[in-house]
């Protein structure tokens, strides 16, 4: 009886001790597992959360890709005393390649690419970089420093972009001067982490060299600029010097040095734009070089003297080259003249305006009179040699006469002089000049059989011969149309 009672008391004590031990040990195990689990969580990139209930572990939050997810679960699963591990992780996608692109144009940033952490995102957003996607796959923990290095280099430029791909950083853009170019390189070098590659392709708006620019012109394309204009000089200033509203601008403006001005040679060339087929002007500290190309029929000797005189008054350090331009187009081809806007046809190697009227006697008379009034056919004093500017005037008249003569009308080319000198000499000179104009028109494709030449000397004045203005009006070429 006593033994049975004793055994019962002993059994009750053992059970009570077990319950007491269990009550004391369970919290100890939970705390121990929780501490170990927190240690595992602390090593995660985005700071995952773990909770422990008894010996069950639940992990949640953001895993930095499948690799970190697997590593976290394996580490938690290996904790001593745990029972189950519940995976509630959100797994970030992996970006491969891991790229960040940031560009700046006109003060506006545009971005695309990935960012490894919210902390890195906040750091970049503080610099105006937004719109990035949170993604795993960054090459290392120093990637945000590399991104800030690229941004520092970009901020030193006028415009450009940088690309950070893996551990390679490239910076491209425009620097205002060489000082800003060096600043961009230094901004990257100062904070770019070790192990990252860096390449740069930076153009400098002003490299410190003296201004030197080129003006180009063709009758088909019009004028355009290249090179470096002086400080304070714009393409609009060059256009205004040429008497134009606009010019195709491919030049940059100096940012260093003393303020400059448009070369006086440019202004001196303005009256010649309608005469030339091509024009190339190079303005540099060493002087100005002008290459002028004229079309068929150009008297290069007279043109050289006349153009050279105009340009010499504008500049002492001038080199002038003249050449004759041979059209590459086929006979009968048409083009639009860039300055006048008129349509021209190639006839006999000459570009002639296309007549825009019905060829009747009245229309032909009105149009030739108007053309001759606007385009004086001049001669070298005392001779029948067409002067330097006569070629373009004859072209304009030929455009009208070609249409009229080809329509079956006949024209008389009349030569007239003032009353200076002997009447017989004036009559002979006027005949020679009329014949010279007729010959020039025939060369331009006006049918020879439709034209005659007649000299009138001073017998048909239109002005007073006792004034220079009157005498100049009397020295003229006239056209009379006959059905």
């Amino acid at each position: 009886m006593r033994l049975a009672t004793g055994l019962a008391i002993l059994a009750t004590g053992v059970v009570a001790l077990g319950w007491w031990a269990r009550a004391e040990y369970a919290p100890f195990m939970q705390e121990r597992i929780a501490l170990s689990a927190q240690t595992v969580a602390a090593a995660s990139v985005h700071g995952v959360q773990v909770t422990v209930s008894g010996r069950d572990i639940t992990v949640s939050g953001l895993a930095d890709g499948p690799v970190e997810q697997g590593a976290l679960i394996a580490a938690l699963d290996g904790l001593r005393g745990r029972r189950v591990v519940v995976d509630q992780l959100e797994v970030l996608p992996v970006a491969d390649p891991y790229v960040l692109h940031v560009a700046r144009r006109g003060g506006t940033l545009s971005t695309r690419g990935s960012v490894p952490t919210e902390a890195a995102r906040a750091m970049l957003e503080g610099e105006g970089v937004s719109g990035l996607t949170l993604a795993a796959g960054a090459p290392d923990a120093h990637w945000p420093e590399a991104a800030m290095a690229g941004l520092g280099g970009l901020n030193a430029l006028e415009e450009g972009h940088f690309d950070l791909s893996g551990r390679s950083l490239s910076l491209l853009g425009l620097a205002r001067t060489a000082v800003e170019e060096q600043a961009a390189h230094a901004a990257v070098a100062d904070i770019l982490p070790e192990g990252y590659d860096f390449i740069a392709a930076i153009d400098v708006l002003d490299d410190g060299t003296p201004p030197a620019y080129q003006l180009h012109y063709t009758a088909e394309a019009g004028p355009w600029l290249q090179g470096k204009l002086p400080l304070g000089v714009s393409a609009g200033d060059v256009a205004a010097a040429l008497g134009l509203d606009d010019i195709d601008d491919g030049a940059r403006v100096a940012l260093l040095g003393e303020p400059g001005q448009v070369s006086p040679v440019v202004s001196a060339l303005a009256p010649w734009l309608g005469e030339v087929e091509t024009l190339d002007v190079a303005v540099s500290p060493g002087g100005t070089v002008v290459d002028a190309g004229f079309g068929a029929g150009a008297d290069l000797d007279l043109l050289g003297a006349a153009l050279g005189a105009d340009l010499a008054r504008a500049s002492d350090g001038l080199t002038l080259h003249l050449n004759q331009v041979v059209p590459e187009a086929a006979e009968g081809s048409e083009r639009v003249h860039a300055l006048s806007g008129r349509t021209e046809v190639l006839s006999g190697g000459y570009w002639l305006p296309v007549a825009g009227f019905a060829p009747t006697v009245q229309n032909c008379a009105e149009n030739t009179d108007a053309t001759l009034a606007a385009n004086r056919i001049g001669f070298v004093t005392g001779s029948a040699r067409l002067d330097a500017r006569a070629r373009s005037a004859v072209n304009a008249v030929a455009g009208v006469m070609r249409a009229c003569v080809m329509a079956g009308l006949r024209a008389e080319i009349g030569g007239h002089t003032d009353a200076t000198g002997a009447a017989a000499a004036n009559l002979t000179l006027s005949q020679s000049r009329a014949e010279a104009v007729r010959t020039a028109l025939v060369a331009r494709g006006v049918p020879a059989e439709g034209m005659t030449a007649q000299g009138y000397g001073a017998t048909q004045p239109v002005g007073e011969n006792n004034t220079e203005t009157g005498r100049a009006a009397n020295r003229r070429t006239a056209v009379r149309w006959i059905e």
Side-chain angles (χ1 to χ4, degrees):
M1 184 69 176
R2 289 181 179 177
L3 179 60
T5 301
L7 290 173
I9 293 172
L10 178 61
T12 301
V14 170
V15 171
L17 181 62
W19 280 106
W20 174 85
R22 181 177 180 183
E24 291 297 322
Y25 184 69
F28 169 76
M29 284 298 296
Q30 179 173 314
E31 181 178 356
R32 176 178 166 182
I33 294 171
L35 287 174
S36 298
Q38 292 293 343
T39 300
V40 171
S44 65
V45 173
H46 302 283
V48 299
Q49 298 82 44
V50 290
T51 57
V52 178
S53 177
R55 288 184 294 144
D56 297 340
I57 304 172
T58 301
V59 57
S60 61
L62 199 58
D64 196 52
V67 172
E68 186 183 72
Q69 178 196 25
L72 286 171
I73 298 303
L76 294 173
D77 197 50
L79 294 182
R80 183 178 179 184
R82 67 101 185 114
R83 185 166 55 189
V84 294
V85 176
V86 180
D87 181 359
Q88 295 182 353
L89 291 169
E90 178 186 352
V91 183
L92 271 184
V94 177
D96 185 21
Y98 207 84
V99 174
L100 170 64
H101 172 87
V102 180
R104 190 176 72 250
R105 297 288 185 275
T108 301
L109 284 178
S110 60
T111 61
R112 65 175 184 270
S114 303
V115 65
T117 65
E118 290 294 350
R121 190 205 298 271
M123 181 172 64
L124 290 170
E125 286 181 347
E127 300 296 328
V129 178
S130 60
L132 300 179
T133 302
L134 194 65
D140 56 41
H142 299 295
W143 185 94
E145 299 170 45
M148 291 299 291
L151 193 58
L154 181 61
N155 287 338
L157 303 180
E158 292 290 293
E159 62 177 41
H161 69 270
F162 78 84
D163 289 283
L164 178 57
S165 179
R167 290 187 176 88
S168 295
L169 174 65
S170 61
L171 176 66
L172 294 85
L174 291 174
R176 188 171 183 272
T177 69
V179 173
E180 284 76 16
E181 179 192 21
Q182 294 167 6
H185 282 274
V188 174
D190 284 347
I191 62 174
L192 188 67
E194 186 176 350
Y196 279 74
D197 300 323
F198 173 55
I199 59 172
I202 300 173
D203 292 327
V204 179
L205 292 174
D206 193 338
D207 58 4
T209 57
Y213 59 97
Q214 301 82 46
L215 166 66
H216 305 284
Y217 167 84
T218 68
E220 292 91 346
W224 70 95
L225 281 173
Q226 293 178 310
K228 182 198 289 188
L229 296 171
L231 179 66
V233 175
S234 69
D237 296 329
V238 178
L242 289 169
L244 305 175
D245 294 329
D246 196 13
I247 191 170
D248 190 359
D249 182 14
R252 62 188 187 279
V253 179
L255 303 173
L256 305 171
E258 296 296 324
Q261 62 180 0
V262 179
S263 169
V265 171
V266 175
S267 298
L269 286 167
W272 288 90
L273 279 187
E275 301 283 339
V276 298
E277 283 291 311
T278 64
L279 184 65
D280 295 284
V281 183
V283 181
S284 70
T288 303
V289 179
V290 176
D291 286 276
F294 294 87
D299 190 326
L300 296 185
D301 290 338
L302 291 180
L303 285 167
L307 179 55
D310 284 356
L311 299 184
R313 287 189 288 270
S315 174
D316 294 331
L318 176 73
T319 302
L320 175 61
H321 301 289
L322 272 65
N323 60 86
Q324 188 160 321
V325 177
V326 178
E328 296 181 357
E331 183 79 359
S333 298
E334 292 189 355
R335 74 177 185 185
V336 176
H337 194 280
L339 292 189
S340 68
R342 66 177 182 255
T343 301
E344 297 177 332
V345 61
L346 187 62
S347 176
Y350 297 80
W351 287 105
L352 309 181
V354 173
F357 59 89
T360 65
V361 170
Q362 180 179 349
N363 287 342
C364 291
E366 290 176 353
N367 279 274
T368 50
D369 289 347
T371 302
L372 284 166
N375 301 271
R376 177 183 174 275
I377 299 177
F379 298 87
V380 175
T381 302
S383 80
R385 184 181 183 183
L386 293 168
D387 70 15
R389 293 179 179 272
R391 185 190 68 87
S392 59
V394 176
N395 285 354
V397 174
V400 176
M401 295 192 64
R402 178 174 177 269
C404 295
V405 174
M406 292 180 72
L409 301 181
R410 294 178 59 81
E412 178 194 85
I413 311 300
H416 301 267
T417 68
D418 61 28
T420 303
N426 285 335
L427 186 62
T428 300
L429 178 61
S430 66
Q431 181 66 38
S432 297
R433 286 179 170 178
E435 291 174 354
V437 172
R438 180 180 179 277
T439 299
L441 291 170
V442 170
R444 287 160 171 78
V446 182
E449 63 274 14
M451 297 182 293
T452 60
Q454 181 64 52
Y456 291 94
T459 62
Q460 296 181 4
V462 293
E464 298 293 334
N465 276 299
N466 58 358
T467 67
E468 178 54 40
T469 300
R471 289 191 296 272
N474 291 333
R475 298 188 297 268
R476 71 194 188 279
T477 299
V479 176
R480 183 170 64 91
W481 288 98
I482 307 166
E483 287 191 81

